Amino acid sequence: MNTKELTKELMEKISSNYYKDMKLPTEDMLMEEYGVTRYRVRKAIQNLVDIGSIYLVQGSGMYIKESHKDSIILSNTQGLVTDFPERKVESKLLNLEIQEADNSLAQEFKCKKSTPIYLLTRLRYLDGEPFSIEYSKYNKEIIPYLNKEIIESSVFNYVREDLGLTIGFADKVISSNKINKEQAHLLGLEENDPGLFINDTVYLANGSIFNISMVLYNYKRATLFDVANLK
Amino acid sequence: MNTKELTKELMEKISSNYYKDMKLPTEDMLMEEYGVTRYRVRKAIQNLVDIGSIYLVQGSGMYIKESHKDSIILSNTQGLVTDFPERKVESKLLNLEIQEADNSLAQEFKCKKSTPIYLLTRLRYLDGEPFSIEYSKYNKEIIPYLNKEIIESSVFNYVREDLGLTIGFADKVISSNKINKEQAHLLGLEENDPGLFINDTVYLANGSIFNISMVLYNYKRATLFDVANLK
């Protein structure tokens, strides 16, 4: 059993209320139960801390938190499909075009002027209801091909699994603003209603920027979750 | 020089554009320049990664990012005073009272019914302009004393420095919603304008919850920043 499988196994036990006392077994007990090394147990525990499933109390143990499973986990989001494994995520492609980078796009992507950039807009549904609008830009020199099928499932999974690229990290700027008439129409809201916005700049592990996007979330349906370490 | 001082030193160099090529010196060079151990250099570097100042490219080096210094750093916020060291942060106490925990408060704080809870509301100003409204609750059995002076500077600094308690982590739920008439008045906005909300549950290192708060940010002035690790 590797770290990922162990993390998944523990997540499932936590979410099914397997641990009635809201406490995880000790490291030693987990090592024995799953026949894995201390290193793997610690990695899996760190994953659970990062997504806010458990918290550690020195000298006392590992405690299970109230569930935040209806929120988007900010600090290590893998995309909507992995955020909500038990819910129906659908995407509708609204626009797809290619544009040569002007000065401003070239500066954003730290790429050469005239580099081809994919521009796409997706409307995303959660359990059949409009959940978010994504305005995404991809550097075509890094992601050479995109089509409707890829876009309507998960672009990030395609980048990882089919292109074999390693995604590194994303800078996220979160804000709130009024939504316009078109956005309101798509989300089933009113013009000037609040919108919850995330501007993402996504880097590959080699440091190049392959994706810049703005996601507008339906304020009635989306919440974001994060754990801040204050020590 | 300890890790905290080294982090601060590097942050100042980064923000004053000392590194013209947007790249940090190597670990070895930093160890020599500051006469510190590799362990401390690595800790300081990790701090800079966590707040989104730099990013690492394997086999290539440590690169400086565009500045997000006008945003609130989500993942390790220490409070507004430390978020904006170069700007004027002021607080106005709007309400302070003590209430015995009813069932719902006792459940939130995981404390006994009738535990005294401080309820307070602060209006916070950044550079003289209304920036946020904080609705905070503190368990009085953990924070036995609060007054206007403490509340108008920094409660977290008081908890750490005067009470000698170790703050552990905070669970944060971020959302957007319409603001009401009173909130609009305090922030200089219109009723039903968007609000950016963070609901915090703050734990001491020993696992007890000492603070639960809701902060409403002025949508025209506040943005939140976070780095998500996607590997």
Side-chain angles (χ1 to χ4, degrees):
Chain A
M1 186 175 262
N2 66 27
T3 304
K4 205 171 170 179
E5 287 159 352
L6 179 58
T7 306
K8 201 164 165 250
E9 176 79 21
L10 293 172
M11 279 172 74
E12 279 166 9
K13 283 197 173 168
I14 289 169
S15 69
S16 65
N17 287 318
Y18 177 86
Y19 301 111
K20 299 288 177 209
D21 58 352
M22 295 299 269
K23 216 178 152 175
L24 279 195
T26 62
E27 267 183 34
D28 287 340
M29 286 158 80
L30 291 171
M31 284 166 64
E32 190 172 319
E33 183 175 353
Y34 294 104
V36 295
T37 59
R38 186 174 303 277
Y39 177 81
R40 286 207 172 146
V41 167
R42 289 206 172 152
K43 280 274 184 191
I45 288 168
Q46 192 53 50
N47 289 342
L48 297 175
V49 168
D50 288 346
I51 61 172
S53 278
I54 63 167
Y55 62 98
L56 311 180
V57 176
Q58 204 147 25
S60 171
M62 305 183 270
Y63 292 87
I64 295 167
K65 285 190 203 168
E66 307 290 304
S67 164
H68 293 279
K69 70 178 174 187
D70 283 338
S71 292
I72 293 161
I73 311 289
L74 256 189
S75 54
N76 60 349
T77 183
Q78 305 281 323
L80 218 48
V81 175
T82 20
D83 279 337
F84 298 114
E86 289 147 34
R87 299 169 72 179
K88 195 171 76 176
V89 176
E90 293 159 300
S91 298
K92 186 175 161 188
L93 179 60
L94 300 180
N95 183 52
L96 175 62
E97 57 188 286
I98 296 173
Q99 190 182 301
E100 292 194 348
D102 56 13
N103 280 327
S104 136
L105 267 177
Q107 205 170 356
E108 277 189 275
F109 275 96
K110 295 182 188 158
C111 69
K112 287 202 191 90
K113 229 181 120 174
S114 306
T115 303
I117 306 286
Y118 275 115
L119 305 182
L120 68 96
T121 311
R122 292 196 290 187
L123 177 60
R124 308 205 78 181
Y125 297 85
L126 190 63
D127 296 336
E129 298 286 332
F131 188 75
S132 62
I133 307 171
E134 291 184 12
Y135 306 88
S136 279
K137 297 176 274 195
Y138 290 90
N139 183 333
K140 193 174 181 310
E141 284 188 348
I142 301 173
I143 314 295
Y145 179 71
L146 280 178
N147 66 12
K148 193 165 179 286
E149 191 196 334
I150 295 166
I151 291 162
E152 296 199 343
S153 55
S154 166
V155 177
F156 275 35
N157 283 349
Y158 167 74
V159 167
R160 261 191 281 256
E161 286 159 27
D162 296 290
L163 299 180
L165 298 173
T166 307
I167 300 176
F169 61 93
D171 283 350
K172 293 175 170 284
V173 177
I174 299 151
S175 59
S176 178
N177 213 333
K178 294 179 185 178
I179 62 173
N180 65 31
K181 201 171 167 177
E182 192 197 341
Q183 293 164 338
H185 176 72
L186 289 168
L187 293 175
L189 299 170
E190 302 291 325
E191 189 177 355
N192 293 328
D193 268 359
L196 182 59
F197 290 86
I198 303 186
N199 286 276
D200 275 317
T201 305
V202 192
Y203 294 74
L204 294 177
N206 70 12
S208 55
I209 297 171
F210 78 97
N211 169 228
I212 294 174
S213 63
M214 180 176 85
V215 184
L216 158 58
Y217 291 96
N218 185 329
Y219 82 102
K220 289 191 176 171
R221 309 193 66 224
T223 58
L224 315 175
F225 178 74
D226 192 40
V227 184
N229 185 352
L230 303 176
K231 266 175 271 194
Chain B
M1 185 175 262
N2 64 27
T3 304
K4 205 170 169 180
E5 288 160 352
L6 178 58
T7 306
K8 201 166 164 248
E9 176 79 21
L10 293 173
M11 279 173 74
E12 279 165 9
K13 282 197 173 169
I14 289 169
S15 68
S16 65
N17 287 319
Y18 177 87
Y19 301 111
K20 300 289 177 209
D21 57 351
M22 296 299 271
K23 215 178 153 178
L24 279 195
T26 61
E27 268 183 32
D28 287 340
M29 286 158 79
L30 291 171
M31 283 167 65
E32 190 173 318
E33 183 175 353
Y34 294 103
V36 293
T37 59
R38 186 174 303 277
Y39 176 81
R40 287 209 170 144
V41 166
R42 289 204 173 153
K43 280 274 185 190
I45 289 169
Q46 191 54 50
N47 289 341
L48 297 174
V49 168
D50 288 345
I51 62 172
S53 277
I54 63 168
Y55 61 97
L56 312 179
V57 177
Q58 204 148 24
S60 169
M62 305 183 269
Y63 292 87
I64 295 167
K65 284 191 203 169
E66 309 290 303
S67 165
H68 293 279
K69 71 177 173 187
D70 283 338
S71 291
I72 293 161
I73 311 289
L74 258 189
S75 54
N76 61 349
T77 183
Q78 305 283 321
L80 219 49
V81 175
T82 19
D83 278 338
F84 298 114
E86 289 148 36
R87 299 168 73 178
K88 196 170 75 175
V89 176
E90 291 159 300
S91 298
K92 187 175 160 189
L93 179 60
L94 300 180
N95 183 53
L96 176 61
E97 57 188 285
I98 296 173
Q99 189 182 302
E100 292 193 347
D102 56 12
N103 280 328
S104 135
L105 268 176
Q107 205 171 358
E108 276 189 275
F109 274 97
K110 294 179 189 160
C111 68
K112 287 202 191 91
K113 229 181 123 175
S114 305
T115 304
I117 305 286
Y118 276 115
L119 304 181
L120 70 94
T121 311
R122 292 195 291 187
L123 177 59
R124 309 206 77 181
Y125 297 85
L126 190 63
D127 296 335
E129 299 284 334
F131 187 75
S132 61
I133 308 172
E134 291 183 12
Y135 306 88
S136 279
K137 296 176 275 194
Y138 289 91
N139 183 335
K140 193 174 181 308
E141 284 188 348
I142 301 174
I143 315 295
Y145 179 72
L146 279 178
N147 67 12
K148 193 164 179 286
E149 192 196 333
I150 295 166
I151 292 164
E152 295 199 342
S153 56
S154 166
V155 178
F156 275 35
N157 283 348
Y158 167 73
V159 168
R160 262 191 280 256
E161 286 159 28
D162 295 290
L163 298 181
L165 298 173
T166 307
I167 300 176
F169 61 93
D171 284 349
K172 294 173 171 283
V173 176
I174 299 151
S175 59
S176 179
N177 213 333
K178 293 179 184 178
I179 62 174
N180 66 31
K181 201 170 168 179
E182 191 196 342
Q183 292 163 338
H185 176 73
L186 290 168
L187 294 174
L189 298 170
E190 302 291 325
E191 189 178 354
N192 293 329
D193 269 359
L196 182 59
F197 291 85
I198 304 186
N199 286 276
D200 274 318
T201 304
V202 193
Y203 294 74
L204 294 178
N206 70 13
S208 55
I209 297 172
F210 77 98
N211 170 227
I212 294 174
S213 63
M214 180 178 86
V215 185
L216 158 59
Y217 292 95
N218 186 327
Y219 82 102
K220 290 191 174 168
R221 309 193 65 223
T223 58
L224 315 175
F225 177 75
D226 192 41
V227 185
N229 186 351
L230 303 176
K231 266 176 270 193

